[in-house]
Amino acid sequence: MNKLNKIIVSDTSYHDDDPYEVIYSNIMVINFLGEERIEVHQVHEDSMISYNLDYYLDQYNNGNFSQFVWNSKWSKELNDDIKNGLAKIGAEKHLKLFLEQSEKVEKLSAPELQNFLQSDYFGENPVRDSLKNDAFYDLGEDLITLNANWLKKHPDLQVLSIDDIYNTLEDFIGREINRE
């Protein structure tokens, strides 16, 4: 199957005053493609980067950096997307913090990291506690706004009506989609 060479979002999300709407529209397209068994490498790289930046933000907001590490199982591919994405959207302070936090994880011994990833997250957990860093919340860079503005200005962005999104995805997948 081919690669989807556009970042697809709805026209209503693109014109919405809430910057998260365009990010969410991108997420919905990626989630739909996942349900249709489209592999990640077939989706536009920057579409996935935006998606993964949102995942990172959500994990950090829900449980700090340690939760991101634990839930992501410290995936090199995901971490590369986060680093590249933070640089692409211009989140220099967030990138610096991500790199600093990544160093903490890399300094853990292999057994320490493995034990953390396989442990219960809650309860007594000194590795979890050592990976937390509340500086994230005071950086003064709004990742949602930066991500949304980057998507909206992206040269491969395709802004479509919901019907046209379905038509485009049907063409890509090669079959009709149940629209209900």
Side-chain angles (χ1 to χ4, degrees), residues 3 30 38-45 48 52 81:
K3 185 173 177 102
I30 291 173
I38 302 301
E39 296 183 26
V40 171
H41 70 273
Q42 294 174 275
V43 178
H44 193 289
E45 176 184 323
M48 287 306 305
N52 288 331
D81 269 4

Side-chain angles (χ1 to χ4, degrees), residues 99-114:
L99 294 173
E100 288 170 3
Q101 290 299 107
S102 295
E103 276 185 41
K104 287 182 184 178
V105 177
E106 299 302 327
K107 287 181 180 177
L108 295 173
S109 69
E112 261 182 317
L113 179 59
Q114 207 52 32

